[in-house]
Amino acid sequence: MANVIDDETIDYVGILAKLELSDEEKEQAKADMARMLDYVDTLNALDTASAEPMTHIYPINNVFREDVVVNSDGSEESLANAPKAKENQYVVPKTFA
Amino acid sequence: MSLLSLTAVELGKKIKSHEVSVAAAATAVMDSIEKKDAELNCFITKLDRDAVLKRAEEVQKAIDAGELTGPLAGVPVAIKDNMNTKGVLTTAASKILGNFVPTFSSEAVVNLEKAGCIIVGKTNMDEFAMGSTTETSHFGATKNPWDTNKVPGGSSGGSAAAVAAGEVPFALGSDTGGSIRQPSGYCGVTGMKPTYGTVSRYGLIAYGSSLDQIGPIAKDVTDVATILETIASHDPKDSTSVKREDYDFTSALVDDVKGMKIGIPRDYLGEGIEPEVKDAILAAAKKLEAKGAIVEEFDLSLVEYAIPAYYLIACAEASSNLERFDGVKYGYRTESYEELHQMYKKTRSEGFGAEVKRRIMLGSFILSSGYYDAYYLKALRTKAMIKKAFDEAFAKYDVILGPVAPTTAPELGSSLSDPLKMYLSDIYTISVNLAGLPGICLPCGYDNAGMPIGLQLIANNFDDKKVIRAAYSFEQSREETRESQYLASED
């Protein structure tokens, strides 16, 4: 089964992945994704109906801890990594036009 | 013999007996990096010499005062650049983290520091650990110290090459689909991925969280067991960290495999494997058999489904994990933008490399409505079946033996043009991550071109000591290993 990724799909994936692709990149991405999907489609030959989806190999239990503060504020250090900061806050561009 | 040829444990002994000072060891390592790394490019960041020597002085004092008595006290180490190091640039080999200086260190790094190790630098890797050759790094490819026209493997290629070249006695790597074991094989060093949950992932920049595991890359099995014993811990900060019953991995350094049942999957010796690799693996099995192990071939099954299942799961997790890189809190932000969403998109498009984008897009697609069941759940069902196949194998065998990769290290540039071909180099390592198993890779011979061949030993969850014991026993009976051209040139 050969997968074909159309423009609409790759645009949708761009929105989900928050990536902006040039026309050239878009064509490459369509071809790459189709090829990857063709490859992973080999799984279709395997009957998995009897297997439960396994997210974790061990039984997962919620890990509880006491709600005690163990770290310091650290906001100044953390903000030092921000591309833009002002008055102890991150600066982002306007969100409403 | 030069200091650089010593194993980490041998160097630690000399430091303890005051034959070598901590500063002298650190200086020898930094000089070696200075001399060799211009060509090999194992390091993204080298620590400032004065800062390293200051730390060496503190550790020396603690050793002299009898406060630091462990086997790795004073030993220099390199850390893969996807593990956070407080105050030291941590890039994950990506432009998007090109200026990121963490405010905390990963738990594995903290454990090494507590043991008195001296961090000298951060090693090169595939961007966000996505690759099998260390060629997808934003900071250029690392070269294999055995033959600089070849790749070191990946994604922990910088760590493996640095150890093989004698730039550093040992290093930490991380392994999501073979990223410790495969480069260890290509570079002729010893590397181990422990059972999932053994080493805390706190502070490790996540790729595929259900698969990622930190582990040691070193010169021999004794080093690997000693380092693992140092970095392994139950960490409440990592909810997948496991409280193990045993952390005494060095107690498994026993030269005895009498009665040990070893299975060789026929599926690992079939199509695609180079004859020289196959011969070396079978010869290694014979050595263990001669020492009293019971060796037989068996059908593991499902091997051909491991890679497609892995890429679906890893890409799905990566697409989620890498959402945090948006140009707001840290790292790169695009130059010009008008509104928030455009800023996100431009930042990510300019900050991520081609392979990372490829995997994020595939992951986003298979998690999207309408495709989730057909791809993501299908992969998780396949994972359950692969785990079951291993459960059945380990009902019969203590250890599974096979190659680490179908070939020795390929030429630089030969894999990037065809990602699917690159993915196939991980065929023998990937299922170990899907099932969370411990696996080790150690050298077992050389091909006609003189490139090292890696032997892989795998055991059931929490049977890390069986892997160490089998590997140690093999190592004791192995012919002398050679040194890479870079390490050999020291003497």
Short mmCIF file of all heavy atoms in Angstrom, two decimals, chain A residues 16-17, chain B residues 130 207 314-324 348 359-365 367:
data_model
loop_
_atom_site.label_atom_id
_atom_site.label_comp_id
_atom_site.label_asym_id
_atom_site.label_seq_id
_atom_site.Cartn_x
_atom_site.Cartn_y
_atom_site.Cartn_z
N LEU A 16 -0.19 21.09 13.74
CA LEU A 16 -0.04 20.27 14.94
C LEU A 16 1.39 20.34 15.49
O LEU A 16 1.60 20.43 16.70
CB LEU A 16 -0.36 18.81 14.63
CG LEU A 16 -1.81 18.46 14.28
CD1 LEU A 16 -1.89 17.00 13.84
CD2 LEU A 16 -2.72 18.70 15.48
N ALA A 17 2.35 20.29 14.58
CA ALA A 17 3.75 20.23 14.99
C ALA A 17 4.32 21.63 15.21
O ALA A 17 5.47 21.77 15.61
CB ALA A 17 4.58 19.49 13.94
N MET B 130 18.39 12.00 18.05
CA MET B 130 17.64 11.42 16.93
C MET B 130 18.58 11.14 15.76
O MET B 130 18.79 11.99 14.89
CB MET B 130 16.53 12.36 16.50
CG MET B 130 15.50 12.56 17.60
SD MET B 130 14.21 13.66 17.06
CE MET B 130 13.36 13.95 18.59
N TYR B 207 13.58 12.48 24.87
CA TYR B 207 13.30 12.16 23.47
C TYR B 207 12.08 11.22 23.47
O TYR B 207 10.97 11.66 23.20
CB TYR B 207 14.56 11.56 22.83
CG TYR B 207 14.37 10.77 21.56
CD1 TYR B 207 13.28 10.98 20.72
CD2 TYR B 207 15.32 9.83 21.16
CE1 TYR B 207 13.13 10.25 19.56
CE2 TYR B 207 15.18 9.11 19.99
CZ TYR B 207 14.08 9.30 19.19
OH TYR B 207 13.94 8.57 18.04
N ALA B 314 8.56 6.20 19.40
CA ALA B 314 9.56 7.23 19.70
C ALA B 314 9.15 8.57 19.09
O ALA B 314 9.29 9.61 19.74
CB ALA B 314 10.93 6.80 19.17
N CYS B 315 8.65 8.56 17.86
CA CYS B 315 8.27 9.83 17.21
C CYS B 315 7.04 10.44 17.90
O CYS B 315 6.96 11.65 18.06
CB CYS B 315 8.01 9.63 15.72
SG CYS B 315 9.50 9.23 14.80
N ALA B 316 6.10 9.60 18.32
CA ALA B 316 4.92 10.10 19.03
C ALA B 316 5.36 10.79 20.32
O ALA B 316 4.95 11.93 20.61
CB ALA B 316 3.96 8.95 19.34
N GLU B 317 6.22 10.13 21.09
CA GLU B 317 6.68 10.72 22.34
C GLU B 317 7.52 11.97 22.09
O GLU B 317 7.42 12.96 22.83
CB GLU B 317 7.45 9.67 23.16
CG GLU B 317 6.54 8.53 23.61
CD GLU B 317 7.25 7.51 24.52
OE1 GLU B 317 8.36 7.77 24.99
OE2 GLU B 317 6.65 6.44 24.74
N ALA B 318 8.34 11.91 21.03
CA ALA B 318 9.19 13.07 20.72
C ALA B 318 8.34 14.29 20.35
O ALA B 318 8.63 15.41 20.77
CB ALA B 318 10.13 12.74 19.57
N SER B 319 7.27 14.06 19.58
CA SER B 319 6.46 15.21 19.15
C SER B 319 5.85 15.91 20.36
O SER B 319 5.72 17.12 20.38
CB SER B 319 5.38 14.77 18.16
OG SER B 319 4.36 14.05 18.81
N SER B 320 5.54 15.12 21.38
CA SER B 320 5.00 15.69 22.60
C SER B 320 6.11 16.33 23.45
O SER B 320 5.99 17.47 23.89
CB SER B 320 4.28 14.58 23.38
OG SER B 320 3.93 15.02 24.65
N ASN B 321 7.21 15.60 23.65
CA ASN B 321 8.31 16.11 24.47
C ASN B 321 8.91 17.40 23.93
O ASN B 321 9.37 18.25 24.69
CB ASN B 321 9.41 15.05 24.58
CG ASN B 321 9.13 14.03 25.67
OD1 ASN B 321 8.56 14.36 26.70
ND2 ASN B 321 9.53 12.80 25.45
N LEU B 322 8.97 17.52 22.61
CA LEU B 322 9.65 18.67 22.02
C LEU B 322 8.72 19.88 21.82
O LEU B 322 9.15 20.90 21.29
CB LEU B 322 10.36 18.28 20.71
CG LEU B 322 11.79 17.76 20.91
CD1 LEU B 322 11.84 16.52 21.76
CD2 LEU B 322 12.48 17.52 19.58
N GLU B 323 7.48 19.76 22.29
CA GLU B 323 6.58 20.92 22.22
C GLU B 323 7.07 22.07 23.09
O GLU B 323 6.74 23.22 22.87
CB GLU B 323 5.17 20.51 22.67
CG GLU B 323 4.33 19.93 21.56
CD GLU B 323 2.97 19.49 22.05
OE1 GLU B 323 2.59 19.85 23.17
OE2 GLU B 323 2.30 18.77 21.29
N ARG B 324 7.85 21.71 24.13
CA ARG B 324 8.30 22.74 25.08
C ARG B 324 9.27 23.74 24.46
O ARG B 324 9.50 24.80 25.02
CB ARG B 324 8.93 22.08 26.30
CG ARG B 324 10.26 21.43 26.01
CD ARG B 324 10.73 20.56 27.16
NE ARG B 324 9.79 19.46 27.41
CZ ARG B 324 10.04 18.39 28.13
NH1 ARG B 324 11.21 18.27 28.72
NH2 ARG B 324 9.17 17.43 28.29
N ARG B 348 10.70 27.31 15.87
CA ARG B 348 10.89 25.86 15.78
C ARG B 348 11.42 25.45 14.40
O ARG B 348 12.27 24.56 14.30
CB ARG B 348 9.57 25.15 16.09
CG ARG B 348 9.19 25.28 17.58
CD ARG B 348 7.74 24.92 17.84
NE ARG B 348 7.40 23.55 17.48
CZ ARG B 348 7.61 22.48 18.25
NH1 ARG B 348 8.17 22.65 19.43
NH2 ARG B 348 7.25 21.29 17.86
N ARG B 359 10.81 13.65 12.48
CA ARG B 359 10.24 12.80 13.53
C ARG B 359 9.08 13.49 14.25
O ARG B 359 8.10 12.84 14.63
CB ARG B 359 11.34 12.37 14.50
CG ARG B 359 12.37 11.50 13.81
CD ARG B 359 13.29 10.77 14.76
NE ARG B 359 14.43 10.21 14.03
CZ ARG B 359 15.29 9.35 14.53
NH1 ARG B 359 15.19 8.95 15.77
NH2 ARG B 359 16.30 8.88 13.81
N ILE B 360 9.18 14.81 14.44
CA ILE B 360 8.08 15.52 15.09
C ILE B 360 6.83 15.46 14.21
O ILE B 360 5.71 15.27 14.69
CB ILE B 360 8.46 17.00 15.36
CG1 ILE B 360 9.55 17.10 16.42
CG2 ILE B 360 7.24 17.79 15.82
CD1 ILE B 360 10.02 18.53 16.66
N MET B 361 7.03 15.63 12.90
CA MET B 361 5.87 15.61 12.00
C MET B 361 5.22 14.23 11.96
O MET B 361 4.00 14.12 12.03
CB MET B 361 6.28 16.06 10.59
CG MET B 361 6.49 17.56 10.51
SD MET B 361 6.64 18.15 8.81
CE MET B 361 8.33 17.77 8.50
N LEU B 362 6.05 13.19 11.88
CA LEU B 362 5.48 11.84 11.88
C LEU B 362 4.73 11.58 13.18
O LEU B 362 3.61 11.05 13.19
CB LEU B 362 6.57 10.78 11.68
CG LEU B 362 6.04 9.36 11.59
CD1 LEU B 362 5.35 9.10 10.25
CD2 LEU B 362 7.13 8.31 11.81
N GLY B 363 5.34 11.99 14.29
CA GLY B 363 4.72 11.79 15.60
C GLY B 363 3.41 12.54 15.72
O GLY B 363 2.41 12.00 16.22
N SER B 364 3.37 13.78 15.25
CA SER B 364 2.14 14.57 15.31
C SER B 364 1.04 13.92 14.48
O SER B 364 -0.13 13.89 14.87
CB SER B 364 2.38 15.99 14.79
OG SER B 364 3.40 16.62 15.51
N PHE B 365 1.46 13.42 13.31
CA PHE B 365 0.49 12.80 12.41
C PHE B 365 -0.14 11.55 13.02
O PHE B 365 -1.37 11.41 13.04
CB PHE B 365 1.17 12.46 11.08
CG PHE B 365 0.29 11.76 10.10
CD1 PHE B 365 -0.71 12.45 9.43
CD2 PHE B 365 0.43 10.39 9.85
CE1 PHE B 365 -1.54 11.81 8.52
CE2 PHE B 365 -0.41 9.75 8.96
CZ PHE B 365 -1.39 10.46 8.29
N LEU B 367 -0.44 10.67 16.02
CA LEU B 367 -1.23 10.90 17.23
C LEU B 367 -2.52 11.66 16.92
O LEU B 367 -3.35 11.85 17.80
CB LEU B 367 -0.42 11.70 18.26
CG LEU B 367 0.73 10.95 18.96
CD1 LEU B 367 1.49 11.91 19.87
CD2 LEU B 367 0.21 9.76 19.76
#
